[in-house]
Amino acid sequence: MPSLVLAHTRYQVIEQIRVPIGLLASGLFPAIAMLAFAVPFVGDDPVASTLSMGSMMLVGAMSAALMGLSISVAMDREQPFNPYLRTLPAGPFPHFAGRILTTTALMVVSTFPVILVAGLFTEADLAPARLAAIVGAALAGSLPFMLIGLFLGLVLPSKAAIAVSQILFFPFAIVGGLMLPPQVMPEFLTAISPYVPSRGGGELVWWGRHRSRPGHSRAGGAGRVDRGGRGRRRVGLPA
């Protein structure tokens, strides 16, 4: 069985590499957002730039988990080969496990452009232990989005999965405090922010930087908020 899982994983990874735009899409958007919104404002602040890097890494992993998995599963269901796989003695598990492993690999790859931007243009803390903690937290925080992506892929055709996953992705990223610090959002968004899965993922990523208990991390999105007059700079404090 492990050999079958690895065979399906290898096949699906090759399938992704043959269409490299799929690999680039998940990583380029958060890297561009990091370059546009974090580098000019918090690039010289090691703590703030590290938090922004973590938030954008989670955005990339979320994109691969939600959009990538939902579309891939929906397209698999439409292929004539998929029902045939279910008739084989091994059943559907090797193909399913290979899809999960492939998606996890894409989630890791999606963090590389953000790390590159952070390393070149900011003072972010790129110590190996710190970086490993943030990557691990981003992967763990993306698990709910893998489940959502699986659900969408199993109930929707591929064209609908593309649209619905994109519609869900951006509100999750914004309301979760990954694009903007929660304290600058409207009050009604601040009130619901703690209850969306992206906020929980954000708390884990910010914990990877601060090592404080999730839910009490003083962290936030890509930008910063200057409290005029008092000269205080605060980086996305959770509500």
Side-chain angles (χ1 to χ4, degrees), residues 1 9 14 16 38 41 48 50 54-55 60 62 79 110 116-117 121 127 132 141 143 154-156 180 225:
M1 185 67 73
T9 303
I14 293 174
Q16 291 288 338
F41 301 106
T50 304
S55 295
M62 282 171 48
Q79 300 298 321
S110 71
L116 182 63
V117 169
F121 301 108
L143 288 177
L154 290 172
V155 301
L156 296 175
L180 293 171
V225 177

Side-chain angles (χ1 to χ4, degrees), residues 57-71:
M57 288 167 66
L58 178 59
V59 169
M62 282 171 48
S63 174
L66 178 58
M67 293 192 286
L69 191 57
S70 62
I71 296 168

Side-chain angles (χ1 to χ4, degrees), residues 3-215:
S3 61
L4 285 176
V5 172
L6 292 177
H8 280 275
T9 303
R10 177 175 175 272
Y11 158 73
Q12 292 170 21
V13 169
I14 293 174
E15 186 180 44
Q16 291 288 338
I17 293 174
R18 286 175 176 171
V19 188
I21 189 63
L23 294 173
L24 295 175
S26 297
L28 282 183
F29 168 70
I32 293 171
M34 178 85 178
L35 194 61
F37 300 113
V39 172
F41 301 106
V42 298
D44 58 345
D45 186 327
V47 174
S49 55
T50 304
L51 295 173
S52 298
M53 178 188 70
S55 295
M56 292 301 101
M57 288 167 66
L58 178 59
V59 169
M62 282 171 48
S63 174
L66 178 58
M67 293 192 286
L69 191 57
S70 62
I71 296 168
S72 298
V73 172
M75 292 180 66
D76 283 345
R77 291 173 48 239
E78 296 174 354
Q79 300 298 321
F81 188 61
N82 189 63
Y84 171 71
L85 282 176
R86 296 176 178 273
T87 67
L88 299 177
F93 176 76
H95 184 76
F96 173 78
R99 179 62 65 193
I100 297 300
L101 292 176
T102 301
T103 301
T104 303
L106 294 178
M107 290 162 62
V108 174
V109 171
S110 71
T111 66
F112 293 166
V114 177
I115 296 173
L116 182 63
V117 169
L120 291 176
F121 301 108
T122 74
E123 299 296 326
D125 182 2
L126 299 180
R130 181 79 66 190
L131 202 56
I134 295 176
V135 171
L139 294 179
S142 298
L143 288 177
F145 297 96
M146 294 183 74
L147 296 176
I148 296 172
L150 280 173
F151 175 76
L152 295 178
L154 290 172
V155 301
L156 296 175
S158 59
K159 292 182 179 179
I162 294 172
V164 173
S165 61
Q166 290 178 340
I167 290 171
L168 291 176
F169 172 73
F170 288 102
F172 274 135
I174 294 171
V175 177
L178 303 179
M179 306 299 294
L180 293 171
Q183 78 273 15
V184 305
M185 296 190 297
E187 290 187 4
F188 75 96
L189 291 181
T190 304
I192 65 175
S193 178
Y195 303 101
V196 297
S198 52
R199 180 59 179 272
E203 294 283 353
L204 282 176
V205 169
W206 303 329
W207 167 84
R209 171 60 181 85
H210 283 283
R211 290 295 195 276
S212 59
R213 184 164 62 89

